[in-house]
Amino acid sequence: MKKFRLNMPFVNATPPHGSGLKTSLLKRFRLLISSLKAWQFKPAFGLRTKVILIASLLLALPWLGYNYVLEMEKLLRQGQEQTLIGTTRAVATALNERPNLFNEQTSALQSVQKGRDLYAYALTSPVTLDGVLDDWTDGTDKLLSYGRDDVQFSRGIYNANSIRFRHGIGRHGDYLYAAFEVSDRRPILRRPDSVRIDRNDHLIVAMTTPTGELQRFAVTALTEGKAEIWSLQGEISNAEAVIPTEEISGYWRQTDNGYNIELRLPLAMLGNKLGFAFYDVNNSQNREVETIIGTSNTNHLNRLGTVLVPSPDIENILKGMGHTSTRLWVIDRHQRVLAKSGDIQESNGVWSTSVKYGNNDNSWWSAFEEKWLHPIYYRYLLNEPQAFDDQIKDSAQLQGVHIYQALQGRGYSQWRRSEDGKAMILAAAYPIWLSDNVMGAVVAEESTVGIQTLKNRALEKLLNAMLAVILIGTVTLLLFASKISGRIRRLRDEAEQAIDSQGRICQPITPSANTDEIGDLSRSLAAMVNRLGQYNHYLENLSSRLSHELRTPVAVVRSSIENLSLQNQDEDSQRYIARAQEGVQRLSTILSSMTEATRIEQSLQGAEKEVFPFNELVSGCMQGYQMAYPEQAFSVRADDVLMIDGAPDYLAQLLDKLIANAVDFSQNDQPIRVTLTRHGTQVRLVVSNKGPLLPKGMETQLCNSMVSIRTQDKQDKPHLGLGLFIAGLITNFHDGQIVLQNNVSLNGVDVVVTLPLCDHHRSEVD
């Protein structure tokens, strides 16, 4: 079926604002409604989505804050670096020009020969003289090995089975401790009845006194246990020159591989030189010395090696300066430690106090933060400081660029990893001057645990603040968006309810008093709907006005044509008069149709309803239709007793319009089926005919005013498309609904009218 253009007999009538104004306003109004719907409900561009996107920009605030904290961390590191250099400068200043604190002879050495020049490590506890060397691991096992390169005399060829030993010395309190682990395949002890002490394995200890004189001691043993200590006043072979002494204590312990010796001697008797030499006797018969191996030559003062014992005076100076939060070292020009103070595990920098005592808050927020927020922060965002180990491998010779620069006379600092790689250590060194000579350096070390902890606390507070800002901002924006969205939704609902499907104004839009853009839009829409209402009212009254105004001219034309027809006219004139009479008749029919819809709509406003059986009305009307359309077959099926509250006359007109419409589009050999049934609390009237299908998109428009889809072969009389429009008016008056649709078999059209049952009948049926 083709779709035809609407036939409007009043197309020459000019409305006050132009013939295209209503169409243009309606298009704009509906476009605006669709835009409001898209703005409100389209997921990709919804207002809430846009607000969430805008709120997500708040995530840039933590990023900016994080970078700010990183910059502050850099400044704190620089501040810690400058502070540490200042600490080393202050300590070095306290040690400058104090020659009594430095051993002149050891300072004058051009180089230190490891193994010959000895270094006494600081011991954390006194050594038990029992020949067991387990307690010497306190200094991370600082025992040095002596072998082929340290042989001073040998009667035969030195081999792997010859004597060798490991040796180390340490200081604790006022004593110097020495340990020896000797590998000897044939240890020979002194015989009880022997006068001489050199006819067996023995140890010679040579040292200088504080006044610089050479002093020698011999260590022997009759059996395992307390060692015999002899002071040598001359040759060891001269029994009269060997005198027992109690100043030095020792212990001789036999082992599977040889023997161990532990010694203790007072620091007060020790100068700046010290040496040890083992005399090995392997033949128990002749008891001659076959090998001499030692740290240095113990027979001559000038051949002794030097010994460096950490200075208690310097340690007292360091402790008196109170730098307990910094690990301090004082080294000589050969990079050997003279004194040490502080612990690297406690050296959190200048902020150690704030790190230790900075958080004493016991509030509920702190508990919540500690239980819920911190685990998230430290799992994904922050790194918690780890316990680290940074023990110096060998304090006999510290290494580092900063130490090298300080011994060259320049203060220097550097960052390095801890020994286990778990922390960053800041080290600074500054030279100690004696006149124009560098006597040593002060080395200070601190970890960055304090800075890292402060950074973490700053980031915690920043993240807490940003989280609060984001939550508050997001909630505020969502509430704001919800408010705006609600206003837009209300405006959309008012716009949808303002105009019905026929384009009539149902109710005005209440203008908003708000002064924002939505308020302006509301007022503009209200003004638009008001103008549409005025124009719609004009159009609704236009047909009745035209009908009233045209009836008189039509009557004049009809009377004139009738008068002409009474006179004798030729055949051609009679034909023209007949055509004119036919046109006047069609024009009268059009005028009647134009006023019919208005008349019915006005009469419906005063119509009274009554309760009556709708099934009887339908049955009675269908009998009349059978006589009115003798060539058309009908099929009727109605349920018993369907009471409704309505106007019977108008419902009969409704049925007239539906049957007339069905007859026009029905195939004569196919019956028109009328079905009346009850569906719950409603009555359903279905008028079905087999014939052409509804054009696509016209299902919802056929009940509009002056819409027709009849073809020319159906146009035996004027049709303005008002039949279904009138049917829709009557249905709406009865609070019902009318729907046009193609049937399931797609061979015809169904018109479905749904009306409510009356309350009394509905309760009886229930």
Side-chain angles (χ1 to χ4, degrees):
M1 180 179 292
K2 296 181 181 179
K3 186 186 295 185
F4 285 85
R5 187 174 301 172
L6 302 181
N7 297 319
M8 299 180 66
F10 47 87
V11 293
N12 291 328
T14 303
H17 302 293
S19 60
L21 178 61
K22 180 179 181 182
T23 302
S24 177
L25 288 176
L26 284 176
K27 286 182 178 180
R28 293 180 182 179
F29 188 73
R30 287 169 178 167
L31 179 62
L32 179 60
I33 293 176
S34 62
S35 300
L36 291 175
K37 290 181 179 180
W39 172 263
Q40 177 65 27
F41 295 107
K42 194 171 183 180
F45 302 98
L47 183 60
R48 286 191 177 92
T49 303
K50 293 181 178 180
V51 170
I52 292 175
L53 292 176
I54 295 174
S56 64
L57 295 177
L58 295 175
L59 295 176
L61 295 179
W63 180 80
L64 294 175
Y66 180 76
N67 283 275
Y68 174 76
V69 172
L70 291 183
E71 292 298 323
M72 291 301 298
E73 182 186 14
K74 293 179 181 178
L75 293 177
L76 290 176
R77 286 178 179 263
Q78 294 176 3
Q80 183 179 10
E81 189 172 354
Q82 295 300 320
T83 302
L84 196 60
I85 292 177
T87 299
T88 58
R89 181 186 295 112
V91 176
T93 301
L95 300 177
N96 284 340
E97 307 300 334
R98 300 181 68 171
N100 58 311
L101 298 178
F102 299 91
N103 188 294
E104 295 181 3
Q105 187 170 356
T106 56
S107 298
L109 289 175
Q110 297 300 319
S111 63
V112 174
Q113 183 178 345
K114 192 172 184 180
R116 179 178 181 274
D117 297 305
L118 304 178
Y119 178 79
Y121 295 95
L123 301 176
T124 58
S125 61
V127 175
T128 302
L129 300 180
D130 55 4
V132 180
L133 306 184
D134 293 345
D135 45 2
W136 283 86
T137 57
D138 171 78
T140 63
D141 196 9
K142 298 300 189 297
L143 303 182
L144 300 178
S145 297
Y146 294 81
R148 181 185 301 275
D149 296 335
D150 303 294
V151 174
Q152 301 174 12
F153 169 81
S154 180
R155 292 184 182 276
I157 298 175
Y158 183 87
N159 53 48
N161 293 326
S162 301
I163 185 173
R164 62 185 185 276
F165 69 95
R166 297 174 66 227
H167 160 63
I169 60 175
R171 181 186 73 86
H172 185 270
D174 296 331
Y175 292 94
L176 182 74
Y177 294 87
F180 303 91
E181 184 182 55
V182 183
S183 296
D184 187 359
R185 55 192 171 90
R186 292 187 63 187
I188 303 297
L189 299 181
R190 190 171 75 87
R191 292 179 297 187
D193 57 349
S194 176
V195 177
R196 296 180 59 175
I197 64 171
D198 60 338
R199 307 296 288 177
N200 47 264
D201 292 340
H202 60 277
L203 169 65
I204 299 297
V205 180
M207 67 182 75
T208 58
T209 63
T211 59
E213 297 177 0
L214 178 62
Q215 191 174 11
R216 300 170 71 233
F217 298 89
V219 179
T220 64
L222 294 172
T223 182
E224 179 177 313
K226 184 177 180 182
E228 299 175 328
I229 311 298
W230 310 85
S231 176
L232 303 181
Q233 304 298 325
E235 293 295 331
I236 191 173
S237 60
N238 186 359
E240 296 180 356
V242 177
I243 302 173
T245 179
E246 297 293 335
E247 293 181 297
I248 301 177
S249 302
Y251 194 94
W252 189 298
R253 185 184 187 91
Q254 297 293 114
T255 64
D256 295 338
N257 297 323
Y259 53 92
N260 294 343
I261 298 177
E262 286 184 324
L263 299 177
R264 181 183 67 189
L265 58 94
L267 286 173
M269 61 183 298
L270 178 64
N272 53 25
K273 287 190 175 185
L274 178 64
F276 301 93
F278 280 94
Y279 288 70
D280 183 32
V281 176
N282 292 326
N283 192 325
S284 60
Q285 300 300 323
N286 59 28
R287 292 182 174 264
E288 292 183 355
V289 175
E290 296 184 4
T291 304
I292 302 176
I293 182 172
T295 62
S296 60
N297 192 321
T298 57
N299 295 322
H300 303 283
L301 185 147
N302 294 333
R303 294 185 180 182
L304 283 178
T306 61
V307 60
L308 180 64
V309 179
S311 172
D313 296 332
I314 298 178
E315 286 188 358
N316 292 332
I317 293 175
L318 295 182
K319 293 179 180 178
M321 299 188 71
H323 291 284
T324 57
S325 62
T326 303
R327 183 167 69 177
L328 289 175
W329 310 82
V330 177
I331 62 175
D332 65 3
R333 58 187 302 175
H334 302 294
Q335 302 172 230
R336 296 180 297 181
V337 176
L338 299 177
K340 174 189 172 184
S341 176
D343 185 0
I344 191 65
Q345 300 296 336
E346 300 294 332
S347 60
N348 296 322
V350 295
W351 301 275
S352 58
T353 303
S354 60
V355 169
K356 188 174 182 180
Y357 304 105
N359 188 14
N360 294 320
D361 189 3
N362 296 321
S363 63
W364 67 269
W365 170 252
S366 296
F368 172 79
E369 184 181 20
E370 188 71 24
K371 183 176 181 181
W372 299 103
L373 297 182
H374 286 180
I376 298 176
Y377 293 164
Y378 283 99
R379 181 172 183 178
Y380 299 105
L381 302 174
L382 304 179
N383 293 321
E384 191 170 8
Q386 298 180 356
F388 65 94
D389 182 27
D390 191 60
Q391 295 292 335
I392 300 300
K393 292 183 178 180
D394 189 1
S395 57
Q397 190 173 22
L398 296 185
Q399 302 290 336
V401 177
H402 58 300
I403 294 176
Y404 173 80
Q405 293 291 336
L407 294 178
Q408 297 299 317
R410 296 180 294 270
Y412 196 82
S413 64
Q414 71 166 3
W415 294 90
R416 66 173 179 85
R417 286 281 181 184
S418 60
E419 292 297 329
D420 57 5
K422 295 182 180 179
M424 288 296 297
I425 305 296
L426 172 61
Y430 202 83
I432 300 174
W433 295 91
L434 182 61
S435 298
D436 294 332
N437 299 319
V438 176
M439 300 300 296
V442 176
V443 181
E445 293 179 336
E446 290 181 353
S447 70
T448 57
V449 173
I451 291 180
Q452 189 175 1
T453 304
L454 287 178
K455 181 191 76 172
N456 288 346
R457 289 185 180 176
L459 287 176
E460 289 170 11
K461 294 181 180 179
L462 174 67
L463 291 173
N464 291 342
M466 290 301 102
L467 182 62
V469 169
I470 290 175
L471 290 177
I472 295 174
T474 302
V475 171
T476 302
L477 288 175
L478 287 176
L479 291 177
F480 178 70
S482 299
K483 181 179 180 181
I484 294 178
S485 178
R487 293 176 60 191
I488 294 176
R489 187 185 298 110
R490 288 192 296 271
L491 182 59
R492 180 210 60 193
D493 295 340
E494 290 184 0
E496 288 182 341
Q497 297 171 3
I499 185 171
D500 61 10
S501 59
Q502 286 78 34
R504 295 179 299 177
I505 303 300
C506 300
Q507 64 183 29
I509 294 179
T510 304
S512 174
N514 295 318
T515 59
D516 56 6
E517 291 79 0
I518 299 179
D520 293 340
L521 178 62
S522 174
R523 290 187 288 274
S524 298
L525 287 177
M528 181 188 299
V529 170
N530 186 36
R531 292 195 297 270
L532 282 174
Q534 295 175 0
Y535 185 59
N536 189 69
H537 179 71
Y538 165 79
L539 292 180
E540 289 176 350
N541 296 327
L542 180 61
S543 61
S544 60
R545 292 177 182 176
L546 286 176
S547 177
H548 176 74
E549 295 295 334
L550 291 177
R551 286 189 183 279
T552 300
V554 169
V556 172
V557 172
R558 180 184 292 111
S559 62
S560 299
I561 293 175
E562 290 176 353
N563 291 331
L564 286 175
S565 64
L566 295 177
Q567 300 177 4
N568 294 325
Q569 303 289 340
D570 55 21
E571 184 178 351
D572 291 337
S573 298
Q574 289 293 337
R575 186 169 63 254
Y576 290 135
I577 290 173
R579 292 176 62 184
Q581 288 177 340
E582 182 181 355
V584 170
Q585 182 63 33
R586 291 175 64 89
L587 184 59
S588 299
T589 303
I590 290 173
L591 293 176
S592 299
S593 299
M594 290 175 58
T595 58
E596 182 181 10
T598 303
R599 185 175 62 255
I600 290 178
E601 187 174 9
Q602 292 175 351
S603 61
L604 283 173
Q605 297 177 359
E608 295 183 359
K609 295 181 180 181
E610 60 180 273
V611 178
F612 67 96
F614 187 48
N615 56 306
E616 295 181 2
L617 174 66
V618 173
S619 299
C621 290
M622 292 306 300
Q623 296 176 3
Y625 299 146
Q626 191 66 62
M627 293 184 292
Y629 304 100
E631 298 179 356
Q632 178 65 53
F634 294 93
S635 174
V636 182
R637 183 174 68 86
D639 290 346
D640 294 337
V641 190
L642 295 175
M643 306 296 292
I644 65 172
D645 187 8
D649 294 340
Y650 292 106
L651 289 175
Q653 292 187 47
L654 165 67
L655 198 57
D656 291 344
K657 299 299 181 183
L658 297 182
I659 294 299
N661 186 76
V663 170
D664 289 342
F665 290 98
S666 177
Q667 300 174 0
N668 293 333
D669 59 342
Q670 297 293 333
I672 295 176
R673 300 182 182 276
V674 179
T675 305
L676 183 65
T677 57
R678 179 181 185 272
H679 284 267
T681 60
Q682 294 179 328
V683 174
R684 186 179 185 187
L685 174 66
V686 181
V687 179
S688 303
N689 69 279
K690 293 185 178 180
L693 300 177
L694 296 174
K696 186 177 181 179
M698 292 296 294
E699 294 88 346
T700 59
Q701 300 184 26
L702 291 175
C703 289
N704 293 340
S705 176
M706 304 185 73
V707 176
S708 176
I709 58 174
R710 286 177 173 81
T711 57
Q712 290 295 334
D713 57 350
K714 297 287 184 179
Q715 297 271 10
D716 56 346
K717 59 181 179 179
H719 286 280
L720 300 181
L722 295 174
L724 292 177
F725 174 69
I726 294 173
L729 292 177
I730 297 173
T731 302
N732 292 335
F733 172 75
H734 289 86
D735 298 325
Q737 188 178 24
I738 182 171
V739 177
L740 282 79
Q741 61 189 18
N742 296 321
N743 59 26
V744 178
S745 301
L746 296 179
N747 58 2
V749 177
D750 293 344
V751 180
V752 181
V753 177
T754 305
L755 299 173
L757 285 168
C758 68
D759 295 338
H760 177 69
H761 182 65
R762 184 187 309 172
S763 61
E764 287 182 353
V765 174
D766 294 340

